Amino acid sequence: MRTYLALSAATAVLAAAGATAYATTPDRTEKPLPLAGMRILISNDDSMQAARASNSDGLGLYELRRAMCAAGADVVVMAPWQVQSGKGTAVSNGGVLTAQRRTALPAGYENDCAQAPARGAVYGVCLSEGPCVKDSPSATPADTVKLALRAGLRAKAGWTEAPDLVLTGINSGPNVSASVNDSGTVGAAVAAIDQDVPAIAFSSSGDETNTGFPRVNYRANAEFGARLVAGLRQRDLLTPEFALKVDYPDVSAGQRAGTPVWTRVGDGAVVYHAFEQRGTGDSFDIALGLCPLDGTGEGECAEGRKDADSTWLLDKGRVTIAPVTWDRTYGTPVGARRELKAIERYVEREAPRP
């Protein structure tokens, strides 16, 4: 059983589903901020524009930046110039990339990182020789991370060593089940662990219509994320052996997110691509379909895993965390077993509660 959405609505679904002020020198009577001294690169696949009324083009990135700076981190953002949802791990194999600093930030986010060494600098990356303009083609999510780690952070921020952590997101819509393969948010995190840098990909569910992405969802996810990163850091559990994928449920109607659960990526689909021929010609319209979320899906919509991320997130409203690796070789023995089990135990027993 399948349900078709209007293209704009389904695209939103597929776009894989008040923090305190920043301070670098806390009062002597207070504990140091939990991420003090940590350098974090942030990217996403939704762009750095944050101009759409639906909040689907990068607002989550600014909430993530806000929360990390509030926790004491030094943050630099390098993100796609345009929305790049669904790009997966795609890269540009030629041309010129331009990393252009954004000087006028979205209202309310201007001073979030004002006291940090890098001041939370935000760069949009376009595929263009010369300045990025409104219609400039965009770098892919993986492009932005590779550029940042191999040259951009040194040139733009003066960071001579790799950052301590790469965060991607917060994506407008969940990245669960089959959508994980298409997700630029996850693809950018994979690009980071390819370069031996720990990475976490964050995604937030939309509202009940799946067409809008309320700020409250992003903010709840970001503030949970800052506490999650702090806990992992404190326990020395940030590892480049695999990335973590964090999906946050919809809390925009006042409901509370369920406690974090360790999951696997589901083997079914939540959304899928469909193609409708125009008459008898050579052209096909690209449509996106939504699988039923009540467990009645068939075919590619059927979910066969009891511990699937989609089931725990969409049916039970829990925060889901899953490990993701770059290795696509079937049957490869699992590496970093100690780290994997330690993080699983942390998520299930000690991770922050929403």
Side-chain angles (χ1 to χ4, degrees), residues 243-264:
L244 294 178
K245 182 180 73 70
V246 179
D247 288 89
Y248 208 88
D250 177 25
V251 295
S252 61
Q255 63 273 44
R256 190 178 184 88
T259 56
V261 60
W262 186 254
T263 67
R264 286 195 295 170

Side-chain angles (χ1 to χ4, degrees), residues 214-238:
R215 188 188 306 266
V216 65
N217 284 356
Y218 290 136
R219 182 156 296 182
N221 194 349
E223 294 183 352
F224 167 82
R227 290 184 289 133
L228 177 71
V229 170
L232 292 169
R233 183 195 193 198
Q234 182 182 32
R235 292 162 178 79
D236 197 27
L237 291 177
L238 293 171

Side-chain angles (χ1 to χ4, degrees), residues 76-165:
V76 173
V77 172
M78 284 196 180
W81 182 253
Q82 309 279 10
V83 173
Q84 294 287 288
S85 294
K87 294 296 184 180
T89 56
V91 295
S92 301
N93 287 329
V96 178
L97 293 177
T98 294
Q100 183 167 304
R101 184 164 184 175
R102 180 170 186 174
T103 54
L105 298 181
Y109 297 97
E110 300 93 339
N111 298 314
D112 290 336
C113 304
Q115 303 303 317
R119 301 181 64 82
V122 176
Y123 296 91
V125 185
C126 66
L127 187 61
S128 174
E129 185 173 358
C132 303
V133 297
K134 180 179 179 180
D135 297 324
S136 293
S138 183
T140 70
D143 281 340
T144 65
V145 171
K146 290 176 183 288
L147 170 65
L149 297 182
R150 293 176 177 172
L153 288 173
R154 179 186 293 270
K156 295 294 187 178
W159 291 4
T160 58
E161 297 179 353
D164 300 299
L165 180 65

Side-chain angles (χ1 to χ4, degrees), residues 145-230:
V145 171
K146 290 176 183 288
L147 170 65
L149 297 182
R150 293 176 177 172
L153 288 173
R154 179 186 293 270
K156 295 294 187 178
W159 291 4
T160 58
E161 297 179 353
D164 300 299
L165 180 65
V166 172
L167 302 179
T168 63
I170 300 170
N171 190 68
S172 56
N175 276 309
V176 292
S177 298
S179 297
V180 172
N181 290 327
D182 300 327
S183 166
T185 304
V186 175
V190 170
I193 61 172
D194 277 346
Q195 299 299 303
D196 206 34
V197 179
I200 305 175
F202 290 94
S203 300
S204 282
S205 297
D207 60 19
E208 62 180 7
T209 71
N210 290 315
T211 60
F213 301 92
R215 188 188 306 266
V216 65
N217 284 356
Y218 290 136
R219 182 156 296 182
N221 194 349
E223 294 183 352
F224 167 82
R227 290 184 289 133
L228 177 71
V229 170

Side-chain angles (χ1 to χ4, degrees), residues 94 257 318:
R318 300 280 289 273

